[in-house]
Amino acid sequence: MGDVILEMKDIDKSFPGVHALDHVSLEVRKGEVHALMGENGAGKSTLMKVLTGIYTKDDGEIIYEGKNVEFHNTREAQDNGVVIVHQELNMVGDLTVAQNIFIGREPRKGFMIDDKKMIEDSKALFERLKIHIDPTEKMSDLTVGKQQMCEIAKAISHNCKVIIFDEPSAALTEKEIEDLFTIIRDLREQQLGIVYISHRMDEIKVITDRVTVMRDGTYVGTLITKDCTKEDIINMMVGRVIYEKPKEKSMVAPDAPVVLKVEHLNAGKMVQDVSFELKKGEILGFSGLMGAGRTETARAIFGADPKQSGDIYINGQKVEINSPEDAVRHGIGYLSEDRRRYGVVVQKTIIENSTLACLEDYMNGLFIDKGKEKEVSEKYIKELATKTPSSDQLVVNLSGGNQQKVVIAKWLVKNSDILIFDEPTRGIDVGAKNEIYKLMNRLAEQGKSIIMISSEMTEILRMSDRIVVMCEGKKTGEIAIEEASQELIMDKATRNIQD
Amino acid sequence: MKKIFKEQKFIVLLVAIALYIIFALISKDFRKYTTIILMLDTTYYFVLLGIGVTFPLITGGVDLSIGTGMVCYALVGGFLIRDHKWPVIAAMLFCVLFGLLVGCVNGVLVAIMDLPPFLATLCTCMITRGLGTRIANQQAVPWPTAKVAEGWFHNLFKLSINKVKYPTGIIVVIVFVVIMAFVLNHTRMGRYTIAIGSNKEATRLSGVNVKAYHIAAYAICGLFAGLASIGYAAATPTVQPGTGAGLELDAIGGAIVGGVSAAGGVGSIEGTLIGVLVIQLLKTGLPFIGLEANWQQIIMGLVLIGAVIIDVIKQRRAAAM
């Protein structure tokens, strides 16, 4: 490890309603691989976005190569040698490798693009990385791993000094990860400062020199990787003080009937052999890190995405669910994590959204009974305490919490018995959060059964009667609330990764 | 009340009235009753096309096959009457069913096969054009004239009593406007058409059979192209094979001018009616005030750009909220 090349000091950043970064610090030295760890929403990505100029910091300073800097956009950061390799690759599939690497800054010969030089330069880059990729190949013909190498080649072509890898291994095979590590070690040799964001504990141990842990937008600490254990890191990641008391015991009667049984569900890479049961009146928490396959599981059960195999039983009866239409008919309602895209029709009124799932019950012969429709939506506005001037308000004008209530109303109007809440409080302020929690508890008391997918540990512990933990498409644990702890959940959520 | 004045269709209605007054003031010939009748003759089938295409437009798609489709159905209908001695009523029914069939094909291509609406209907546009010409054996096909007994269908659009012509087509058009406005605003078909255009995925995840309703939107469009073909046959003494391309643009343009959002999710049948009227007023009126055909095209293009810009601004405002 050499001198400090980048220092972020006391970085502070707030968004309306959220204190995203609370005096966070990070120090990167030349020739080191520095891991940045933390749960979903800990603020890792925000910190990197502040560094590369996507967000403007409210407070704090960034010292890069001994100078106080502030980049205003990624281009400026790039030109100064700070580059991100994103998890999602930003490549144009129909262009060649060389064209992609030099996009926007093609070497020219008069008016023409100097293809020869571009290809030569690309070859030189690949040589430096000791990899074999033909620069004239079409990008879309390469594997994901090779595409990522091109992205790295593009990064170093900017003559970069600090390179940030944002979950680089998520889409890679084991062999590709090894190749990636070889490259990263080479870059370390060349005295670059490397920031490595990942959830995979074993990778952190293998490739990184130091670990900085963040939690809930704060800086927790920095450790030397070889001196610490996996448990040390997990404890730092989850070791928050819990203000809201976790649920002490399950509220579900031991003899409550099983309303939903899922057996050996398989749907693509993200859902592998998932089985579980949901009881009447139960809130079943689904915990896991980003990309654990929880949303994919929910969507497969709901028929929103095709599944390869697996059986679904509702109230003991085996059912065929091949489309959301089937699922809704069998009494399942799905509340998406992305409300604006999948939950509500924002440019339409509360009334229209409330009856969208069961318009057939609000017909008078061929025609929609608008009186009855208005009546029922107003009933639920009152019952859920949705804040709106009137029932014919466009949903786009409501706050996040109230939009969520409109989605809940939609499924209550349909009288669905099984509700899948996917990140029910994402983007919702604290007060509205508590309301949603109360509402979910009340629904469970009324005999509705709820699957709650949540990335917030406190939410999982506070709401669930039982917790299913997933990791990389597999179910890695099932924990009764009486035995649940943050450490235990995090251990299971990273279990697959460790093996 | 204030809301009504802000609505695009109301403003467009004022524009239509203003256009009429301007043209009438400048040109004495434009004021003549025969001009009005002449203008209405062509307006009927454009309104019918417009009503139909409003549905795919609201889903966020488009149907480019209605122009050539309409001519194709009229050709085949006339051919059946002339060469196969079909009764006119049967031929009319055939036109409507033919239109419905092509609409269903468009719907399947778009909703099931996931083709971009622009492309799918461009293909059926070419197919209907070729098919009509082929069946008509490349000859112009006349429908019975108003003078003979078989020509009774002309009365649906224009009734002559003692040499005075009455525009009965207004009634036909208004009946369809009322019915389809009702369908759009008060039935599941209409509600889901709008929902698909606003947020198809959220609608699907609400358990709506999105594919079926998506097909239905195109089927309605085809059905109305079939109805329009009867109006076209009534207004055009002999139907020419190989024509019809470009007619869809007057209907689509009318719908857009009348407030149908090019991005989908927004639109009304009344609006389309008024929009088509504006286009037809321009088409008929501009020559009367001495503007040659090229100018008409340029002005119509500018009007459409104006309508689309208004739409884009509205969407941006909505997105900013």
Side-chain angles (χ1 to χ4, degrees):
Chain A
M1 266 195 278
D3 302 335
V4 174
I5 183 159
L6 172 76
E7 198 176 0
M8 300 183 79
K9 264 197 212 159
D10 281 334
I11 304 291
D12 212 79
K13 175 77 192 169
S14 290
F15 296 107
V18 197
H19 199 170
L21 294 176
D22 187 357
H23 298 279
V24 177
S25 299
L26 175 71
E27 179 203 83
V28 183
R29 290 171 182 271
K30 282 183 187 168
E32 92 162 320
V33 181
H34 195 121
L36 188 56
M37 292 204 75
E39 285 182 277
N40 307 328
K44 300 166 301 209
S45 295
T46 314
L47 187 66
M48 290 303 108
K49 282 178 179 164
V50 167
L51 173 61
T52 51
I54 297 171
Y55 294 150
T56 324
K57 60 185 173 0
D58 298 339
D59 199 12
E61 51 184 6
I62 302 172
I63 299 155
Y64 172 61
E65 293 193 294
K67 283 192 291 273
N68 213 324
V69 294
E70 179 158 7
F71 303 127
H72 297 94
N73 52 53
T74 39
R75 186 67 195 256
E76 204 184 314
Q78 242 171 43
D79 293 344
N80 283 284
V82 178
V83 185
I84 287 198
V85 176
H86 286 283
Q87 189 179 359
E88 307 93 29
L89 303 170
N90 299 311
M91 289 291 183
V92 185
D94 288 324
L95 297 185
T96 66
V97 169
Q99 284 166 344
N100 265 292
I101 291 176
F102 290 98
I103 196 161
R105 52 196 173 99
E106 291 83 357
R108 262 176 292 184
K109 207 191 220 165
F111 288 111
M112 313 251 287
I113 291 175
D114 190 348
D115 277 317
K116 223 170 136 191
K117 180 167 172 11
M118 208 159 77
I119 291 165
E120 288 307 313
D121 287 355
S122 303
K123 275 190 185 149
L125 284 171
F126 290 135
E127 253 161 53
R128 190 175 151 197
L129 292 173
K130 299 190 184 81
I131 47 180
H132 303 284
I133 295 175
D134 178 0
T136 60
E137 218 172 328
K138 221 167 100 177
M139 188 55 82
S140 55
D141 292 340
L142 299 184
T143 61
V144 180
K146 287 251 171 80
Q147 288 187 17
Q148 191 166 51
M149 313 250 160
C150 295
E151 187 100 25
I152 298 169
K154 186 176 170 182
I156 61 165
S157 75
H158 286 280
N159 196 17
C160 74
K161 291 166 189 145
V162 171
I163 182 165
I164 300 148
F165 290 95
D166 188 359
E167 296 204 45
S169 57
L172 301 189
T173 63
E174 238 156 85
K175 173 75 183 60
E176 286 170 332
I177 292 172
E178 262 171 51
D179 294 343
L180 174 71
F181 283 179
T182 315
I183 292 175
I184 291 179
R185 286 195 189 100
D186 267 357
L187 294 175
R188 175 164 61 188
E189 287 294 300
Q190 295 167 24
Q191 293 301 303
L192 265 69
I194 299 161
V195 179
Y196 190 90
I197 301 177
S198 174
H199 287 310
R200 303 192 184 197
M201 210 57 84
D202 61 335
E203 289 178 3
I204 300 297
K205 294 293 285 181
V206 170
I207 193 75
T208 70
D209 303 303
R210 286 194 295 168
V211 188
T212 288
V213 177
M214 290 178 67
R215 185 204 314 143
D216 301 336
T218 60
Y219 170 83
V220 181
T222 303
L223 301 171
I224 306 233
T225 311
K226 65 175 179 351
D227 298 340
C228 68
T229 63
K230 183 187 166 191
E231 283 67 36
D232 292 338
I233 299 175
I234 286 185
N235 284 335
M236 282 171 79
M237 280 166 72
V238 299
R240 68 170 68 77
V241 186
I242 294 191
Y243 298 107
E244 296 115 1
K245 242 169 110 185
K247 210 178 235 183
E248 280 170 359
K249 63 181 186 43
S250 170
M251 300 304 208
V252 184
D255 58 345
V258 172
V259 290
L260 172 74
K261 189 161 121 186
V262 174
E263 276 191 336
H264 307 295
L265 183 69
N266 282 288
K269 223 180 118 191
M270 298 306 284
V271 185
Q272 296 170 30
D273 197 34
V274 174
S275 304
F276 68 91
E277 287 180 351
L278 174 68
K279 288 181 174 171
K280 190 174 165 68
E282 181 176 43
I283 299 179
L284 180 62
F286 263 66
S287 187
L289 295 167
M290 204 105 76
R294 296 164 299 162
T295 296
E296 288 81 358
T297 304
R299 284 179 63 96
I301 294 170
F302 191 63
D305 292 329
K307 54 176 180 286
Q308 274 85 50
S309 63
D311 297 326
I312 297 171
Y313 299 84
I314 288 178
N315 295 323
Q317 290 274 316
K318 190 173 169 193
V319 294
E320 275 307 318
I321 295 178
N322 295 316
S323 67
E325 210 188 333
D326 294 337
V328 171
R329 203 174 46 244
H330 285 115
I332 306 177
Y334 174 60
L335 295 90
S336 168
E337 57 183 330
D338 191 341
R339 279 185 299 279
R340 288 179 68 90
R341 266 175 74 194
Y342 302 126
V344 283
V345 185
V346 290
Q347 291 296 349
K348 297 295 152 203
T349 65
I350 297 181
I351 302 180
E352 286 166 299
N353 274 286
S354 302
T355 55
L356 191 57
C358 60
L359 202 49
E360 60 274 16
D361 299 337
Y362 292 84
M363 302 297 285
N364 196 347
L366 272 178
F367 307 115
I368 298 168
D369 187 339
K370 293 207 172 173
K372 203 170 148 197
E373 222 189 348
K374 194 176 160 78
E375 200 179 301
V376 74
S377 17
E378 281 174 0
K379 179 182 152 205
Y380 280 102
I381 287 175
K382 220 164 140 191
E383 212 173 296
L384 307 182
T386 313
K387 281 189 207 72
T388 172
S390 74
S391 57
D392 51 17
Q393 184 75 8
L394 293 185
V395 170
V396 71
N397 297 330
L398 304 180
S399 69
N402 285 308
Q403 287 188 5
Q404 185 67 291
K405 286 180 182 174
V406 173
V407 186
I408 296 174
K410 175 170 79 181
W411 296 116
L412 296 182
V413 170
K414 174 69 200 169
N415 201 14
S416 306
D417 288 325
I418 299 167
L419 298 171
I420 306 174
F421 283 82
D422 196 348
E423 304 287 357
T425 61
R426 177 173 290 174
I428 291 177
D429 65 64
V430 182
K433 253 185 187 179
N434 280 324
E435 265 186 80
I436 301 276
Y437 291 151
K438 273 188 206 146
L439 193 60
M440 288 171 73
N441 281 328
R442 206 167 80 213
L443 292 172
E445 272 166 39
Q446 287 165 8
K448 306 263 182 211
S449 309
I450 295 173
I451 292 173
M452 183 191 73
I453 300 172
S454 175
S455 297
E456 277 186 50
M457 197 65 93
T458 45
E459 187 166 284
I460 285 282
L461 289 172
R462 177 175 165 181
M463 296 302 296
S464 314
D465 295 307
R466 200 153 49 93
I467 299 157
V468 167
V469 187
M470 287 185 71
C471 177
E472 303 209 323
K474 295 194 182 80
K475 178 174 152 185
T476 47
E478 195 175 310
I479 310 168
I481 190 66
E482 292 84 357
E483 290 148 25
S485 69
Q486 298 190 62
E487 290 75 13
L488 185 60
I489 293 173
M490 188 52 73
D491 180 66
K492 291 196 188 300
T494 51
R495 161 162 301 183
N496 231 20
I497 297 167
Q498 190 191 24
D499 297 337
Chain B
M1 204 57 194
K2 236 182 182 172
K3 220 170 155 186
I4 294 177
F5 290 111
K6 270 194 192 160
E7 280 205 39
Q8 185 165 345
K9 55 193 172 204
F10 184 77
I11 297 165
V12 177
L13 180 64
L14 292 183
V15 170
I17 295 169
L19 275 176
Y20 185 82
I21 294 173
I22 291 167
F23 291 145
L25 282 178
I26 297 176
S27 163
K28 217 161 88 184
D29 289 333
F30 186 78
R31 292 201 291 268
K32 283 187 182 157
Y33 184 63
T34 47
T35 308
I36 296 178
I37 294 292
L38 195 76
M39 183 173 77
L40 285 174
D41 270 346
T42 54
T43 305
Y44 300 143
Y45 60 82
F46 278 120
V47 172
L48 291 174
L49 288 181
I51 293 173
V53 81
T54 299
F55 283 80
L57 285 172
I58 291 179
T59 64
V62 73
D63 187 345
L64 298 176
S65 73
I66 52 175
T68 55
M70 175 177 76
V71 172
C72 168
Y73 318 140
L75 276 171
V76 177
F79 167 76
L80 290 172
I81 298 168
R82 187 191 63 187
D83 290 15
H84 292 268
K85 305 290 172 251
W86 279 39
V88 170
I89 183 77
M92 283 164 64
L93 201 63
F94 183 86
C95 288
V96 174
L97 290 178
F98 198 173
L100 182 65
L101 176 73
V102 172
C104 289
V105 170
N106 282 332
V108 169
L109 290 177
V110 171
I112 310 275
M113 318 293 279
D114 259 338
L115 288 176
F118 174 84
L119 258 165
T121 60
L122 189 65
C123 298
T124 46
C125 167
M126 296 193 244
I127 292 168
T128 47
R129 190 171 169 183
L131 195 65
T133 311
R134 184 75 282 271
I135 293 175
N137 219 353
Q138 305 191 32
Q139 292 166 354
V141 180
W143 279 55
T145 59
K147 301 224 166 53
V148 299
E150 310 277 57
W152 58 270
F153 70 94
H154 288 275
N155 297 338
L156 289 175
F157 299 94
K158 192 165 59 184
L159 189 61
S160 299
I161 302 173
N162 298 330
K163 300 226 163 149
V164 183
K165 289 178 171 133
Y166 298 96
T168 42
I170 291 182
I171 301 168
V172 174
V173 161
I174 288 181
V175 166
F176 279 118
V177 166
V178 170
I179 293 175
M180 294 323 282
F182 218 80
V183 167
L184 189 60
N185 296 317
H186 294 274
T187 67
R188 273 196 277 173
M189 173 66 224
R191 174 73 59 86
Y192 292 153
T193 302
I194 296 169
I196 289 170
S198 305
N199 190 339
K200 190 174 163 195
E201 200 50 25
T203 309
R204 184 174 85 96
L205 292 178
S206 296
V208 174
N209 189 341
V210 166
K211 283 183 177 154
Y213 284 98
H214 208 168
I215 294 174
Y218 283 87
I220 288 178
C221 183
L223 179 86
F224 271 84
L227 288 169
S229 72
I230 300 166
Y232 186 73
T236 318
T238 40
V239 185
Q240 298 291 337
T243 59
L247 296 184
E248 70 281 353
L249 297 180
D250 283 1
I252 294 167
I256 302 282
V257 169
V260 176
S261 166
V266 180
S268 69
I269 304 292
E270 322 77 272
T272 297
L273 170 70
I274 299 165
V276 172
L277 279 181
V278 167
I279 301 270
Q280 292 308 310
L281 269 168
L282 284 171
K283 259 176 95 174
T284 318
L286 289 174
F288 278 93
I289 62 168
L291 282 176
E292 52 160 319
N294 302 332
W295 276 109
Q296 297 170 37
Q297 298 272 328
I298 292 168
I299 291 177
M300 303 252 284
L302 291 175
V303 168
L304 265 181
I305 289 179
V308 174
I309 288 176
I310 292 174
D311 178 42
V312 169
I313 290 172
K314 277 201 291 194
Q315 276 177 47
R316 236 183 255 157
R317 264 197 214 147
M321 272 199 289

